[in-house]
Amino acid sequence: MRTLMLSTALAATLLCATALTPALTAANAAEIKNGGAMVVTYKDDIATLDPAIGYDWQNWSIIKSLFDGLMDYEPGTTNLRPNLAESYQMSPDGLTYTFKLRPGVKFHNGRVLTADDIKYSIERAVNPATQSPGAGFFGSIKGFEEAAAANGALSGITVVDPQTVKIELSRPDATFLHVMAINFSFAVPKEEVEKAGADFGKKPVGTGAFKMSEWTLGQRLVLERNPDFHEKGLPHLDQITFEIGQEPTVALLRLERGEVDVLGDPIPPARFLEVKNNPANKDLIAVGTQLHTGYVTLNVTMKPFDDVKVRQAVNMAINKDRIVRIINNRAVPATQPLPPTMPGYAPDYKGYAFDQAKAKALLAEAGFPNGFDTEILANNTDPNPRIVQAIQQDLAAVGIRAAVKTLAQANVIAAGGEKEGAAMIWSGGMAWIADFPDPSNFYGPILGCAGAVPGGWNWSWYCNKDLDAKAAEADAMVDPASKEAREAAWRDIYLKVMEDAPWAPVFNEQRFTMHSARMGGPDAIFVDPVHIPVNYEHVYATDVQ
């Protein structure tokens, strides 16, 4: 998933439903009193709340508050658990999943959820008429190619009975259960979709912890408790109001005056250090890692970046520690494509050390003793111009004279999607944050051959067919007993990517969410790695009588 990162100034085994993680149940659960309200601010309006369409960090967690999928994650973690499914069973060959639904789950309109709704919702996302950006996630379901070219009807989904749905795959796919937890797979009621038509994204009806109460475009969005929610005791709050059009600096002032409870946008950079270092805010700022990497792409099809020594030299030329300081230490230096909290990350791999003398030597070996001229593109919103200027200075120190061109995000994306469109791109503002917490999601779209196509997200145009084959083998390892072996396989793939150096990874962003003193819940809820930016259904008000 593309994120507006800092520029926003942001086994045939049967599993049963899991309880909340110890970290959350330990949060004085017995003392939590349900009720109360919360105010969240955002600068920009929400585009849509249709789970088949919405695909940005801002609507991600709101959609998760309104809708549910067969699977979800333990709150504040990346651990999968059943959700609308009470349980599931996987066939020994990993090609068939049979899901038993929780009994009595209701949509916000009062109708009981059935297996037909699961089939309809997934097929709706695959149907080209829906124009879902997530259709490709269902590519391993049997009949996908035919469905994607026609009306979305998937031969691999069978309604066994009202409480049971069977999904057959065309190939083993270790990411499949994650796909069943992604927003695009969330259950929607056919009758409400057909009644609202193109406006369903403005009139959402799901099975989630909250339901829509009011939406005045450009002003406010109000959610209220779903009294029929299937998880006992949730949500804790009666109401959430999202105030739209709130400049982050103004929103921060309002939070400090007690008028706002959560900053939906990041803490404004100009006040970040002041706010973070204020002892009074110690318990009001939750800090968490993200499944994110910011990087420089090096177009391997354009000279001189078709030479691996040149690409390795770029990696050695960039002072990552200095760039992290430029953004007030809101990140940690990156050594590889995967972020540290992602399975498959290699903790012992040190990457390319900052060594400008060695970078110069590599350039000389590649035939560029005096360096060369090139260009680097970047998003024109702060802090990206400052970051790319620092990268420019580092490259100049080794003889690479990179002219900086800062453009609107859409123009940078368009250039990256053209084979000869850009030699180098700083990904800030468009950097990759995982759609789901699995290492494959950092490969296929942005490093694999399938992404190196016109309009794709693989802006380095790197295509290593041997690694593509190894990636396919890794994703076919579906037996839970192969978990460690699969992670090791992905680790090897990414280390090989780093040998080829189509990227210069720069940093892994950390997330800081500021909230008022009256809002309670473990920090993990306010920086949930999946419910970005906040897992709203687990937040509670401490002043409820």
Side-chain angles (χ1 to χ4, degrees):
M1 176 175 63
R2 290 283 153 177
T3 177
L4 298 183
M5 205 212 13
L6 293 167
S7 65
T8 57
L10 155 12
T13 183
L14 191 65
L15 300 183
C16 296
T18 340
L20 292 183
T21 60
L24 299 184
T25 53
N28 299 321
E31 300 175 13
I32 298 174
K33 294 182 179 179
N34 285 353
M38 175 170 66
V39 175
V40 182
T41 58
Y42 280 116
K43 178 179 181 292
D44 299 318
D45 208 349
I46 290 93
T48 179
L49 292 175
D50 184 337
I53 304 296
Y55 197 29
D56 63 60
W57 69 274
Q58 190 168 318
N59 62 25
W60 206 244
S61 61
I62 301 177
I63 287 174
K64 290 181 185 294
S65 298
L66 293 164
F67 299 89
D68 297 299
L70 289 171
M71 303 292 292
D72 195 4
Y73 299 88
E74 295 174 4
T77 79
T78 58
N79 302 322
L80 273 167
R81 65 167 182 168
N83 188 16
L84 290 179
E86 183 176 55
S87 63
Y88 71 86
Q89 191 170 21
M90 182 182 72
S91 62
D93 61 5
L95 292 176
T96 303
Y97 290 78
T98 304
F99 296 90
K100 285 286 186 182
L101 301 185
R102 288 178 183 254
V105 174
K106 293 182 180 180
F107 285 110
H108 298 153
N109 64 4
R111 182 172 69 76
V112 173
L113 171 83
T114 70
D116 284 306
D117 296 307
I118 302 298
K119 177 178 173 66
Y120 167 76
S121 301
I122 295 174
E123 292 185 337
R124 174 174 177 258
V126 172
N127 190 335
T130 305
Q131 298 184 13
S132 171
F137 285 109
F138 304 100
S140 64
I141 298 179
K142 186 177 177 181
F144 172 80
E145 297 297 335
E146 297 83 356
N151 62 359
L154 287 158
S155 59
I157 303 183
T158 304
V159 173
V160 178
D161 59 50
Q163 292 299 114
T164 311
V165 62
K166 180 175 69 175
I167 302 180
E168 298 173 89
L169 307 185
S170 57
R171 54 180 168 81
D173 181 5
T175 72
F176 175 69
L177 289 176
H178 287 290
V179 173
M180 293 298 100
I182 203 170
N183 294 14
F184 302 114
S185 72
F186 286 3
V188 298
K190 181 178 180 180
E191 68 274 17
E192 298 292 346
V193 172
E194 293 181 343
K195 182 168 67 175
D199 287 336
F200 182 71
K202 296 292 188 292
K203 302 175 181 178
V205 177
T207 61
F210 292 94
K211 58 183 181 179
M212 178 68 70
S213 174
E214 174 195 338
W215 191 352
T216 304
L217 294 180
Q219 297 182 36
R220 55 193 261 131
L221 170 70
V222 182
L223 307 183
E224 64 180 34
R225 168 196 297 277
N226 173 13
D228 296 322
F229 187 52
H230 56 78
E231 289 199 48
K232 186 178 180 181
L234 294 176
H236 296 308
L237 297 170
D238 286 337
Q239 185 182 84
I240 305 176
T241 299
F242 298 91
E243 295 192 357
I244 309 301
Q246 298 286 310
E247 288 291 338
T249 301
V250 175
L252 175 58
L253 290 172
R254 293 186 62 208
L255 187 146
E256 291 172 332
R257 294 198 300 259
E259 301 171 2
V260 165
D261 295 305
V262 172
L263 299 182
D265 295 306
I267 299 168
R271 292 199 57 197
F272 179 79
L273 289 179
E274 171 203 345
V275 171
K276 181 177 180 291
N277 295 332
N278 185 343
N281 296 329
K282 179 178 179 295
D283 296 325
L284 307 183
I285 299 176
V287 184
T289 56
Q290 291 200 106
L291 301 175
H292 159 278
T293 302
Y295 49 91
V296 176
T297 58
L298 309 171
N299 192 323
V300 301
T301 69
M302 296 177 67
K303 291 184 179 300
F305 299 109
D306 57 342
D307 190 320
V308 67
K309 291 182 178 179
V310 171
R311 302 195 299 269
Q312 291 173 339
V314 170
N315 272 272
M316 295 176 184
I318 297 174
N319 187 339
K320 301 172 186 179
D321 291 326
R322 180 167 72 110
I323 292 173
V324 167
R325 290 195 296 271
I326 288 172
I327 58 172
N328 295 324
N329 296 308
R330 286 184 289 166
V332 294
T335 63
Q336 56 199 282
L338 288 182
T341 50
M342 181 70 83
Y345 178 82
D348 297 330
Y349 176 70
K350 303 304 181 185
Y352 294 94
F354 175 54
D355 189 336
Q356 293 189 326
K358 190 168 184 180
K360 288 180 181 180
L362 278 173
L363 289 175
E365 290 177 24
F368 299 97
N370 300 315
F372 57 87
D373 296 313
T374 187
E375 184 178 74
I376 183 168
L377 272 57
N379 186 328
N380 61 10
T381 51
D382 186 67
N384 296 300
R386 291 186 286 128
I387 292 173
V388 78
Q389 286 164 9
I391 293 172
Q392 179 190 40
Q393 292 168 6
D394 288 340
L395 296 177
V398 302
I400 300 176
R401 298 170 293 277
V404 169
K405 183 183 288 186
T406 56
L407 305 169
Q409 175 174 297
N411 294 333
V412 180
I413 292 172
E418 297 177 16
K419 193 168 187 178
E420 301 294 326
M424 305 174 71
I425 297 177
W426 160 243
S427 69
M430 305 155 294
W432 195 257
I433 186 167
D435 297 288
F436 50 80
D438 186 88
S440 67
N441 191 238
F442 262 76
Y443 181 81
I446 49 178
L447 285 164
C449 296
V453 295
W457 291 98
N458 183 346
W459 298 340
S460 64
W461 291 82
Y462 173 71
C463 176
N464 185 321
K465 292 185 178 179
D466 288 340
L467 289 188
D468 266 24
K470 292 182 182 298
E473 291 172 3
D475 279 347
M477 300 169 70
V478 297
D479 188 336
S482 301
K483 179 177 180 290
E484 291 185 6
R486 180 172 180 268
E487 290 180 7
W490 272 115
R491 186 160 50 249
D492 291 344
I493 289 169
Y494 285 110
L495 293 183
K496 175 58 180 174
V497 167
M498 287 307 298
E499 287 180 24
D500 292 342
W503 283 9
V506 178
F507 59 62
N508 304 116
E509 186 190 353
Q510 291 183 300
R511 189 141 50 87
F512 297 80
T513 300
M514 189 170 183
H515 59 87
S516 68
R518 59 179 295 273
M519 304 320 302
D523 279 3
I525 293 306
F526 291 98
V527 287
D528 193 295
V530 178
H531 291 245
I532 300 167
V534 178
N535 193 323
Y536 293 116
E537 63 197 59
H538 289 277
V539 177
Y540 61 91
T542 60
D543 56 359
V544 175
Q545 301 301 315

